[in-house]
Amino acid sequence: MTNSICILRLSAIGDVTHVIPVVLSLQEQIPGVKITWVIGKIEAKLVGDLPGVEFIIFDKKAGWKGYRELRQKLQGRHFDALLHMQVAFRANLAAAVIPAKLKIGYDRARSKDLHSLFINRRIPPAPKQHVRDCLASYLEPLGLSAAPPRWNIPLSDEDHEFARSHLADDRRNLVISPCASHTLRNWPAERYAQLADHAIREHGMKVILVGSPAPFEAEACATIEQIMAETAHNICGKDTLKQLTALLAGADLLVAPDTGPAHIASAMGTDVLGLYAASNPDRSGPYNSLQWCVNRYPQALERFTGKTLDEARWGAKAEFEGAMELITVADVTRTLDQWVESSSKKAPSPQE
């Protein structure tokens, strides 16, 4: 019987959101299970209050001190199973100091950075699988069913109040989160500005710009705001992760490249218009909104690597200068128009 489980997934925000269904499913399939999650500091700000989970923060920037601290925190502990969900070498070293009888990791095709040396059981191989489904399958070696796509991110009344203070209640709210941490995944600011103007002029939307306090994100949002002919509501750097989550939960649509907020919005049930050329949306796109992704990844692969989708390794990136420029403003405004038409059909009439 598996009564105590340790999850090792340090980062990043998007991947961490995909672990939430695993936690919820574990709690459902093994009532009373004790779950410990070793997680990064920033990521804990989003999910660190999930009910019934003990969180141990691992400081990725602390070097060898971080590993010593992790070992000390786990001294005298022993887990029935470790779900080792990250292949990065520093995560493998963290796995080495986590005492567990069963150490479940990736199948051979998805292992790298000596991952195989730190596990003794593998998840089932599954070619061309979305990251969420991959992480969900970590329950299968335990004799459990793969985790269904179900999320819960706890939010406070204050978080919801923050969201209400920025969301319009008389028109659709379009949130734009323009920046990924990998700058080669970012769409040009002038194209975001044209999209935002289109959303306001053609659909009467309120456009809200969001991002972290990082200087390059603040600069990107400020540039979009300056280029626009219409007026956007710029709150870049002025929210917490929880407040952003509440904002995305209350919004109608998010526009974003391959970045954490896209996965948060999808987890909260909000549609995402994803901008994908540098990475494959079928692998890492917003799970519930793949139909709304503008996908120029196949063209980027072929132009910059000479490989077709079938020839390239699953998960191969096309992070090259000029890749995201393959996505035109017309591509995105057309998808936005289609989303508006689709959501208008779903919306109840005033008489209903």
Side-chain angles (χ1 to χ4, degrees):
M1 184 66 181
T2 306
N3 294 312
S4 62
I5 292 177
C6 182
I7 294 172
L8 174 61
R9 183 74 213 197
L10 304 175
S11 60
I13 291 293
D15 296 309
V16 161
T17 65
H18 294 322
V19 180
I20 296 171
V22 176
V23 170
L24 298 179
S25 188
L26 269 173
Q27 292 171 331
E28 193 173 80
Q29 295 189 65
I30 311 177
V33 65
K34 295 178 180 176
I35 301 174
T36 299
W37 185 345
V38 180
I39 193 170
K41 189 185 299 184
I42 293 172
E43 293 74 13
K45 292 178 180 179
L46 178 67
V47 299
D49 53 354
L50 276 173
V53 181
E54 172 197 21
F55 285 87
I56 295 178
I57 294 175
F58 178 79
D59 187 352
K60 294 172 282 188
K61 297 178 181 177
W64 290 110
K65 181 185 174 187
Y67 297 102
R68 286 196 301 272
E69 289 177 350
L70 179 60
R71 184 190 290 274
Q72 288 167 1
K73 288 174 183 175
L74 295 174
Q75 200 162 15
R77 305 275 298 274
H78 194 84
F79 300 100
D80 294 321
L82 166 67
L83 308 185
H84 181 7
M85 294 179 159
Q86 195 150 358
V87 293
F89 187 65
R90 64 185 174 196
N92 289 330
L93 292 180
V97 306
I98 297 174
K101 179 173 64 176
L102 187 63
K103 294 194 173 186
I104 300 169
Y106 287 94
D107 57 291
R108 292 188 186 280
R110 289 177 279 196
S111 295
K112 60 181 180 180
D113 291 346
L114 305 178
H115 181 76
S116 300
L117 300 178
F118 299 89
I119 60 173
N120 54 26
R121 188 77 61 85
R122 296 182 184 276
I123 61 172
K128 300 186 177 180
Q129 192 176 41
H130 192 282
V131 171
R132 193 222 73 88
D133 295 333
C134 170
L135 297 179
S137 74
Y138 264 77
L139 300 187
E140 293 182 40
L142 296 173
L144 305 174
S145 301
R150 185 167 57 92
W151 285 265
N152 173 37
I153 301 177
L155 297 171
S156 68
D157 291 341
E158 289 77 16
D159 296 327
H160 288 296
E161 182 52 44
F162 173 88
R164 281 192 293 269
S165 72
H166 292 285
L167 292 166
D169 56 13
D170 59 345
R171 57 196 188 279
R172 288 189 179 94
N173 292 278
L174 173 67
V175 178
I176 296 179
S177 180
C179 296
S181 56
H182 300 275
T183 55
L184 291 174
R185 296 181 190 174
N186 292 341
W187 205 41
E190 61 272 15
R191 298 192 186 185
Y192 277 119
Q194 291 176 62
L195 169 66
D197 283 338
H198 177 86
I200 293 168
R201 289 169 177 166
E202 299 299 321
H203 302 298
M205 291 175 149
K206 177 174 183 178
V207 173
I208 305 170
L209 302 174
V210 300
S212 80
F216 82 94
E217 295 204 36
E219 183 180 344
C221 287
T223 302
I224 294 167
E225 190 178 16
Q226 288 160 12
I227 295 173
M228 285 176 62
E230 305 294 334
T231 302
H233 182 59
N234 184 359
I235 58 169
C236 182
K238 298 176 182 176
D239 56 356
T240 66
L241 266 176
K242 291 286 196 181
Q243 290 170 340
L244 173 64
T245 302
L247 183 80
L248 294 174
D252 296 283
L253 181 69
L254 169 71
V255 175
D258 187 359
T259 185
H263 302 290
I264 295 173
S266 187
M268 300 307 290
T270 297
D271 288 337
V272 180
L273 199 171
L275 307 180
Y276 282 76
S279 54
N280 187 350
D282 291 329
R283 179 185 176 273
S284 60
Y287 191 78
N288 293 319
S289 288
L290 297 182
Q291 73 271 32
W292 299 120
C293 288
V294 176
N295 182 10
R296 290 290 173 260
Y297 173 71
Q299 293 93 324
L301 259 188
E302 199 148 359
R303 176 175 295 190
F304 295 102
T305 72
K307 294 183 178 180
T308 66
L309 203 56
D310 290 331
E311 292 168 340
R313 176 182 57 83
W314 183 251
K317 299 286 190 267
E319 293 176 340
F320 299 95
E321 290 284 354
M324 289 297 289
E325 279 80 348
L326 294 175
I327 300 173
T328 67
V329 175
D331 288 334
V332 186
T333 55
R334 181 169 56 250
T335 305
L336 176 63
D337 295 345
Q338 291 167 350
W339 176 85
V340 169
E341 184 180 357
S342 172
S343 62
S344 296
K345 288 176 182 175
K346 293 179 189 174
S349 66
Q351 288 77 29
E352 289 179 342

